[in-house]
Amino acid sequence: MMAVRWLSPGQLEVFQLRDGEPCVPSLAELAHRQQRFQEALVASLDQLACGAVPFEPLPSEPRGRRLSRQSSLCPRPGDSMTVQMQAYHAELSAVKDGDMLLSVIRGAEGALVFLGQQLERPGESVAEEDLIKFLVSRRSVDQVCPGARVPSKEMANIVLVYLVVRGIGRLTVIENVKRKQARKSRTHLALVPGACFEALPRTLLRDRDRMERWHGQLRKNLQKLFIACL
């Protein structure tokens, strides 16, 4: 089940719920959701063509000040210390989110290197557990960002979900793959026949470039807010 919530005015979060708790979907769940979406899309083409787009109402947006990402974010000299500290902590939270998103993108870039080595021959696939094992290794981190911290298994799962979403049309999730050797994981990743694998690294590179620019602006704003709180 998907749900939405407001983190703050102007910041909406979409997340998955399982047993009432936020969670990261598995690759198998992601593949099933994509298939159900495609089936529902095909069944609704006539309605969509007539402008009848289904929607769910959002929860009421909380009141408060919307934080801009421009330099004007710095509070005015007359603002109270409480307002300045609130703005500082909100920007600090955004910087931490940016750190995590950059880690996810870099992890996906490392996973692509591994996939490219394993999927050289047509018809090959890579087990989900092998990808996770690679992502939580020092070798994976040093390929993209030497010296960075090795991600947790939970972060590796997030990286795989991001990679599958960005690789729609190029990567596919296969379930119940039979192998001679027994594996705990029955979920594998494979290339879509005829797809251009080389285009996927370029997609992730564009994502990282945009994220690094946004993250750099956040850090500049955070520095200004820190000085304003002194």
Side-chain angles (χ1 to χ4, degrees):
M1 174 183 177
M2 303 300 294
V4 295
R5 64 186 173 192
W6 291 99
L7 299 178
S8 63
Q11 291 185 309
L12 187 68
E13 180 184 40
V14 181
F15 58 97
Q16 176 169 308
L17 285 175
R18 183 186 296 132
D19 299 328
E21 295 293 332
C23 66
V24 177
S26 67
L27 293 188
E29 290 173 329
L30 203 62
H32 291 161
R33 183 187 302 162
Q34 181 182 351
Q35 182 179 359
R36 290 195 301 269
F37 173 80
Q38 291 175 341
E39 291 172 352
L41 182 63
V42 171
S44 304
L45 285 179
D46 292 339
Q47 294 179 349
L48 294 175
C50 297
V53 180
F55 67 93
E56 290 287 339
L58 294 176
S60 300
E61 183 177 1
R63 295 182 179 181
R65 179 182 176 186
R66 286 174 174 261
L67 295 180
S68 169
R69 294 304 175 207
Q70 305 303 320
S71 58
S72 60
L73 175 66
C74 190
R76 297 182 298 273
D79 286 345
S80 68
M81 182 57 68
T82 300
V83 173
Q84 293 178 0
M85 289 301 296
Q86 287 176 344
Y88 172 79
H89 285 294
E91 199 71 7
L92 179 61
S93 177
V95 169
K96 292 179 179 179
D97 288 344
D99 289 336
M100 188 197 72
L101 291 172
L102 276 174
S103 296
V104 169
I105 296 173
R106 288 167 179 155
E109 289 178 310
L112 275 186
V113 175
F114 181 75
L115 282 173
Q117 297 168 350
Q118 303 297 317
L119 302 179
E120 292 181 347
R121 292 182 298 179
E124 290 292 321
S125 63
V126 178
E128 179 183 2
E129 64 178 7
D130 290 342
L131 265 172
I132 291 177
K133 188 183 299 183
F134 172 77
L135 286 170
V136 298
S137 68
R138 170 52 59 184
R139 182 163 63 101
S140 167
V141 175
D142 288 344
Q143 283 184 349
V144 181
C145 190
R149 186 170 58 183
V150 176
S152 64
K153 186 175 180 180
E154 181 182 5
M155 177 61 77
N157 285 322
I158 295 174
V159 169
L160 287 187
V161 169
Y162 164 76
L163 182 60
V164 170
V165 170
R166 297 302 282 142
I168 289 178
R170 300 184 181 94
L171 293 176
T172 184
V173 178
I174 306 174
E175 292 187 81
N176 301 321
V177 176
K178 295 181 179 180
R179 288 287 186 268
K180 293 181 180 180
Q181 298 179 350
R183 292 180 181 270
K184 294 180 181 179
S185 172
R186 292 290 182 179
T187 305
H188 287 230
L189 272 181
L191 287 178
V192 173
C196 179
F197 181 77
E198 289 73 17
L200 193 48
R202 294 195 294 269
T203 298
L204 298 190
L205 179 60
R206 289 194 296 270
D207 287 354
R208 179 159 56 85
D209 286 343
R210 286 194 294 265
M211 181 56 62
E212 286 176 343
R213 288 195 298 270
W214 177 69
H215 193 249
Q217 184 61 54
L218 290 178
R219 287 191 171 277
K220 290 180 181 178
N221 290 341
L222 184 65
Q223 184 178 21
K224 291 177 182 180
L225 288 166
F226 177 77
I227 294 173
C229 291
L230 296 178

